[in-house]
Structures are given as structure tokens and as C-alpha cells.
Amino acid sequence: MKYRLQQIREILDHPANRNNRISAFLRYIKWNIGRRLLSQANYVINFTPNAKIILSNRENYATLAYTCGLYDFEEMKFLIDYLRPGDIFGDFGANVGVYTALAGSLKAIVLAAEPVPDTFTRLQENFRLNSVKGQAIRCGLSDFRGKLSFTSTLGGMNRVATSVDTETTEVNVLTVDELVAETNLQPKVVKIDVEGFELPLLRGSTRLLPNLAAIIIELNGSGKKYGYSDDDVHKFLISSSFSCFDYLPGTRKLQPRNEYQQSKFNSLYINLRMLDEIRLRLEEN
């Protein structure tokens, strides 16, 4: 009950719902009735006027996507305001492709990587559903080329397996720099959501990093199981000439912050060498 009340509060306080909380609450009720009556069904929803996504009870963010649309509001609004048709967007740890669908709806070209076979199949379905241009690649991303075992039964929380995991699948892995070279797709912005394996991925991205404008990255303490902390990721990005910012969608401004986000999962890092150019683009109508 405590979790349910917390989720309702999050939905009602979400920026997309603050002016129409009653409608948001009714969507929440409708979604929960539907998902119980049709527990094994897949649902196609519009989470923006131009972006669709296939959801099911397997996605841990499904309720927020249905009730809020842009559930990662600041980060998703940053993409909407920054990306231009023809820009290349990297969705690393794409899961079923919510960010891929959003970027595709903005006419960006998407380079998406997802390692788990079942999840990758659904990523491909969302690629087709949204007529996304680009490539979806089934692979893991690390600081070496080879193979790694991934969990296979955790839905949106699948990750590089540890010694205690039993239900796993072996996946080919390569570096981001190799992925970029092999696809000839060099992203301008990337979203990284790899359930704790961020640092190895970044270490395999040293040729790409100087050319990136921005990184949206999930930091939630998951790296501990692999022997490093969110502070290690933060320090690596700072040493690569990035700095952490808040994006203020109402004014389209970037506001510097001293550390990564700790009250929510995602943090936005901006390449300081491109800061003026990025600010000008964001302020364009």
C-alpha cells in the first residue's frame, strides 16, 4: 500500500499532470483495471502525439508511461528541444525502446543497442511501429570485445550477470567506439541505461566522448555489484570535460549543478566544449 500511495503521488505531482490531476488519477485507475483483466496482453499507447510504444506488465515503467507520457520529463523534454531531424541519437541499453521511439518521432536517426534476446525483439517491434530510421543492434556494451552473460528474466531490469545469477544468456559485447565505427552512426546525444555497467561502457567510448554534446545516464547505485560507485562514473565524466546540469523545460535553460542527481535516477551531463552551442540550439523556437 505504501508503494502504491507513493506511485499515485508521483503521478499526480508529475509536471505533465499538475494542471489535470483528476484526469491523471482516472488514467491510473483505468490502467490498473486493464492490466489485471488482461495481464498477459501487450498495449500500444501514444506517449507523445507522434511516438507510440508497445507496453506490457513486464516493463517496470509501464504505469508511468501510460499515466504521464514523458515520464522522465526533464530529460525527455531536453531531447525534444535539442534534437533536430537528421541528428543521430544513441540509445545504449535501449530496453524496448521508449527513448528510441521518442527520438525517432523527432526525425532523428537512432543507434540502439540491447543485449537480451526477448527484449531486443520488442525493441525491433517498436522500431517498426514508429518507422524509426537507424539501426537496432543486439549486443552488450563494455570496454572490450567478447562475450558476457546477462540475466534474462528480470524484464526491464536485466543486466550483466553476477556469480549469484542463475537464469542467464550469453551475449556478444563490444565497445561503443567499435559499434559506432561498424555502423557508421556517430551519436550527438546518448541515453545510457545499463543497470550498473555504466563505467565499462564509458571506458569503451573514449573516441566518441569528445564528439558528444550530451549524455543522459541512469545512476542509481547499481554499479556496486560490479565493484565501482556512481562517484566513479561522475569523476570519469568530469575528467572527460563533461559537467552535470539540470534542464529547465519552462525556460529551456541549463542550470549547473555540483553533483549528479541523487533524488532521481537520471542525470544530464553536457560537454563543456559545446556548452554555448548547445544553449543556443535549445533557445531556438
Side-chain angles (χ1 to χ4, degrees):
M1 178 61 72
K2 183 178 179 181
Y3 169 77
R4 190 173 298 279
L5 290 174
Q6 181 180 348
Q7 187 176 56
I8 292 172
R9 188 178 301 111
E10 182 180 356
I11 290 167
L12 298 184
D13 288 342
H14 190 275
N17 296 329
R18 286 173 187 160
N19 295 326
N20 203 345
R21 287 185 166 93
I22 293 175
S23 177
F25 183 71
L26 292 175
R27 286 199 303 277
Y28 174 80
I29 298 297
K30 179 181 176 182
W31 169 257
N32 279 281
I33 291 173
R35 69 190 299 189
R36 280 161 178 74
L37 292 175
L38 302 168
S39 60
Q40 301 303 313
N42 290 332
Y43 316 88
V44 177
I45 68 164
N46 278 84
F47 68 99
T48 77
N50 299 314
K52 301 176 183 179
I53 194 75
I54 304 169
L55 292 175
S56 73
N57 287 334
R58 291 169 291 187
E59 281 76 56
N60 59 323
Y61 50 81
T63 298
L64 289 178
Y66 183 78
T67 57
C68 303
L70 301 178
Y71 56 90
D72 289 341
F73 190 73
E74 290 82 7
E75 298 87 352
M76 289 177 165
K77 281 291 291 178
F78 174 82
L79 289 185
I80 290 170
D81 293 341
Y82 181 78
L83 287 178
R84 300 292 185 270
D87 284 347
I88 300 174
F89 172 72
D91 196 356
F92 299 154
N95 198 260
V96 302
V98 178
Y99 274 81
T100 285
L102 178 61
S105 75
L106 303 170
K107 307 302 181 186
I109 299 165
V110 178
L111 174 59
E114 168 57 40
V116 179
D118 177 62
T119 309
F120 180 74
T121 297
R122 288 182 285 138
L123 170 63
Q124 289 179 305
E125 291 170 351
N126 284 313
F127 237 83
R128 291 190 291 268
L129 179 66
N130 291 276
S131 300
V132 177
K133 294 181 178 179
Q135 293 188 48
I137 309 294
R138 188 168 80 83
C139 70
L141 295 169
S142 186
D143 52 1
F144 70 97
R145 190 182 193 107
K147 293 183 181 293
L148 281 172
S149 292
F150 282 75
T151 61
S152 58
T153 60
L154 303 180
M157 306 296 286
N158 278 315
R159 50 172 171 73
V160 172
T162 64
S163 59
V164 301
D165 294 307
T166 55
E167 297 185 72
T168 64
T169 183
E170 192 174 66
V171 175
N172 290 325
V173 298
L174 65 163
T175 69
V176 169
D177 287 335
E178 288 171 332
L179 179 66
V180 168
E182 291 178 11
T183 59
N184 200 31
L185 293 173
Q186 181 168 289
K188 199 176 190 73
V189 180
V190 299
K191 166 71 167 72
I192 300 172
D193 183 357
V194 289
E195 301 300 329
F197 217 63
E198 296 81 17
L199 192 57
L201 184 153
L202 290 168
R203 287 172 174 163
S205 310
T206 53
R207 292 199 299 273
L208 176 63
L209 286 173
N211 300 302
L212 278 178
I215 299 169
I216 299 167
I217 187 168
E218 184 178 38
L219 298 175
N220 59 13
S222 298
K224 291 178 182 178
K225 67 177 68 69
Y226 306 113
Y228 63 86
S229 68
D230 292 344
D231 285 342
D232 295 329
V233 177
H234 178 73
K235 290 174 183 176
F236 182 91
L237 287 170
I238 296 300
S239 71
S240 301
S241 298
F242 284 80
S243 189
C244 204
F245 286 79
D246 288 323
Y247 182 58
L248 310 178
T251 59
R252 296 194 175 197
K253 300 292 186 183
L254 289 167
Q255 180 174 287
R257 57 181 297 120
N258 293 328
E259 58 184 2
Y260 53 88
Q261 288 279 3
Q262 296 182 343
S263 60
K264 59 178 185 175
F265 284 167
N266 290 325
S267 293
L268 174 66
Y269 285 83
I270 299 295
N271 190 333
L272 293 177
R273 288 168 291 197
M274 303 182 189
L275 181 58
D276 291 341
E277 171 191 336
I278 294 166
R279 280 178 162 152
L280 285 173
R281 181 188 273 214
L282 288 169
E283 292 169 6
E284 292 174 0
N285 293 327

